[in-house]
């Protein structure tokens, strides 16, 4: 029976151990999840921190004392071990690369071979398929995958890379769009989605043909193992694109005070340059930039000691300073600053 290899998260602290946890699924299949443990200090919730510490403590105790391993088996964990490796950083990078390749359905023979060697040293069978543990789709992984798709075939429109880069810039910089450009942005997202769908349809047909050919063989080997479930991944891509579109539209139509503050500070930076460059400014420029930056931060401050009078004074300074930019501002920002 084929064992499923799940690749979890590997972007944690370098000192965090990589674990191999073998479980028995409801259908009787065996699955091995390979993942890096969370850094306890990074967990903000005190309750979750205690629960995680107890969980790791029990696992470590059962690893150390063979007699108590049935405790884990009673909850479906066949066995759990720390991955033994001479080069933790290199191994962490390998698994991170494998996870990315598994997501995009393009695991290379080179990384397959390295994984086979590692798992062979831990007594795991060669008859398995590589999968990835979905978790929450991180934005940086998402855009990285989209760019990889563009280099994996001819299923993308010529402008698709431009639209992906444009969407990434808008999303990560928390840009507020004008009403007139929201429809254009929605169209860009639709082009990306259609291109991704075409990519998956072509990829699925190709893998189906490969699988059909493999069933004619009397024996399969590691490089001919089952591909990951691309359909679920396709759905995850579409849902993430919709999530990004909705977030950008919401921010552009009803931006928060924090969104508007960041927008105004970015305008200020375009006029004067980054605050880190202030040592090269003359005294007049440095003073003007500092005064407006302080006014913006005061206007949108949530500190209780900032009076309404001070905020109104800051608002007047901001209105006067950005008057020449009023017509170019997104409507949601202009309405907030220059409201009647």
């Amino acid at each position: 029976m084929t064992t499923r290899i799940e690749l979890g998260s590997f972007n944690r602290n370098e000192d965090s151990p990589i674990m191999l946890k073998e479980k028995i699924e409801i259908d009787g299949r065996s699955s091995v999840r390979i993942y890096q443990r969370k850094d306890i200090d990074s967990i903000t919730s005190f309750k979750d921190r205690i629960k995680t510490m107890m969980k790791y403590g029990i696992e470590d105790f059962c690893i150390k004392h063979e007699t108590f391993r049935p405790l884990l088996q009673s909850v479906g964990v066949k066995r759990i071990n720390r991955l033994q490796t001479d080069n933790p950083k290199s191994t962490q990078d390998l698994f991170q690369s494998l996870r990315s390749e598994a997501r995009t359905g393009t695991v290379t023979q080179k990384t397959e071979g390295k994984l086979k060697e590692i798992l062979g040293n831990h007594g795991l069978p060669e008859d398995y398929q590589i999968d990835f543990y979905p978790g929450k789709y991180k934005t940086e992984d998402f855009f990285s995958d989209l760019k990889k798709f563009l280099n994996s075939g001819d299923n993308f429109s010529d402008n698709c890379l431009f639209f992906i880069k444009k969407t990434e810039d808008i999303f990560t910089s928390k840009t507020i769009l004008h009403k007139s450009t929201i429809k254009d942005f929605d169209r860009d997202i639709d082009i990306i989605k259609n291109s991704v769908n075409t990519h998956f349809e072509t990829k699925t047909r190709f893998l189906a043909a490969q699988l059909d050919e493999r069933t004619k063989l009397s024996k399969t080997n590691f490089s001919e193992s089952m591909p990951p479930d691309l359909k679920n991944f396709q759905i995850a891509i579409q849902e993430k694109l919709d999530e990004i579109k909705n977030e950008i539209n919401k921010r552009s139509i009803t931006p928060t005070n924090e969104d508007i503050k960041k927008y105004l500070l970015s305008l200020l930076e375009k006029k004067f340059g980054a605050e880190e460059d202030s040592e090269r400014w003359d005294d007049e420029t440095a003073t003007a930039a500092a005064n407006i930056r302080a006014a913006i931060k005061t206007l949108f401050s949530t500190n209780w000691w900032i009076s309404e009078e001070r905020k109104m004074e800051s608002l007047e300074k901001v209105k006067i300073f950005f008057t020449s930019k009023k017509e170019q501002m997104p409507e949601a920002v202009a309405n907030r600053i220059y409201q009647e």
Side-chain angles (χ1 to χ4, degrees), residues 91-280:
T91 305
Q92 181 181 339
D93 290 342
L94 169 64
F95 282 123
Q96 187 77 338
S97 175
L98 263 168
R99 175 177 164 83
S100 177
E101 291 178 5
R103 278 198 309 264
T104 56
T106 56
V107 178
T108 65
Q109 289 186 348
K110 181 178 180 181
T111 49
E112 275 186 344
K114 290 182 179 179
L115 177 63
K116 178 180 178 180
E117 182 179 342
I118 290 173
L119 297 182
N121 291 338
H122 285 76
L124 296 175
E126 292 189 3
D127 183 21
Y128 50 78
Q129 67 182 61
I130 302 173
D131 205 346
F132 71 98
Y133 185 75
K136 181 173 175 57
Y137 208 153
K138 296 184 178 179
T139 302
E140 58 269 26
D141 290 339
F142 175 73
F143 284 111
S144 175
D145 287 349
L146 288 183
K147 293 169 187 174
K148 285 182 181 178
F149 289 157
L150 288 175
N151 297 319
S152 63
D154 302 321
N155 307 315
F156 295 88
S157 65
D158 294 338
N159 293 327
C160 199
L161 180 57
F162 172 76
F163 292 144
I164 291 174
K165 183 66 172 66
K166 177 182 173 183
T167 301
E168 182 179 14
D169 289 343
I170 291 173
F171 186 78
T172 55
S173 65
K174 296 189 178 297
T175 300
I176 300 174
L177 300 177
H178 292 77
K179 286 183 178 179
S180 60
T181 59
I182 291 178
K183 286 186 178 180
D184 292 336
F185 167 74
D186 289 348
R187 180 208 60 201
D188 295 346
I189 292 289
D190 288 339
I191 290 174
I192 297 172
K193 290 174 71 173
N194 290 335
S195 295
V196 169
N197 283 339
T198 301
H199 167 84
F200 273 102
E201 289 168 4
T202 303
K203 187 75 174 178
T204 300
R205 286 196 297 269
F206 174 73
L207 291 175
Q210 280 192 325
L211 180 60
D212 183 61
E213 183 65 26
R214 284 201 298 269
T215 57
K216 300 175 184 178
L217 302 176
S218 59
K219 184 179 179 181
T220 60
N221 57 34
F222 177 80
S223 63
E224 296 165 341
S225 57
M226 289 284 289
D229 188 349
L230 293 182
K231 185 62 180 177
N232 288 340
F233 185 45
Q234 180 182 8
I235 293 172
I237 293 275
Q238 300 297 328
E239 289 178 345
K240 187 66 178 180
L241 281 168
D242 287 337
E243 176 189 319
I244 288 173
K245 180 175 74 172
N246 292 338
E247 183 173 330
I248 292 176
N249 284 344
K250 181 179 178 181
R251 183 170 65 238
S252 299
I253 297 170
T254 56
T256 64
N257 284 345
E258 185 65 22
D259 292 331
I260 296 175
K261 181 179 79 171
K262 289 180 179 179
Y263 175 83
L264 294 177
L265 288 174
S266 69
L267 279 187
L268 186 66
E269 184 172 313
K270 289 177 183 178
K271 180 175 177 62
F272 290 111
E275 187 175 7
E276 296 77 30
D277 301 329
S278 59
E279 291 183 359
R280 297 197 295 268

Side-chain angles (χ1 to χ4, degrees), residues 12 16-17 35-43 52 56:
R12 310 198 190 281
S16 181
Y35 62 97
Q36 195 174 29
R37 278 182 170 176
K38 294 179 180 178
D39 181 0
I40 297 294
D41 293 333
S42 69
I43 302 175
T52 305
Y56 291 168

Side-chain angles (χ1 to χ4, degrees), residues 58-71:
I58 293 171
E59 289 178 352
D60 288 339
F61 182 81
C62 292
I63 290 172
K64 186 176 181 180
H65 302 282
E66 291 274 351
T67 308
F68 293 92
R69 292 204 173 187
L71 287 175

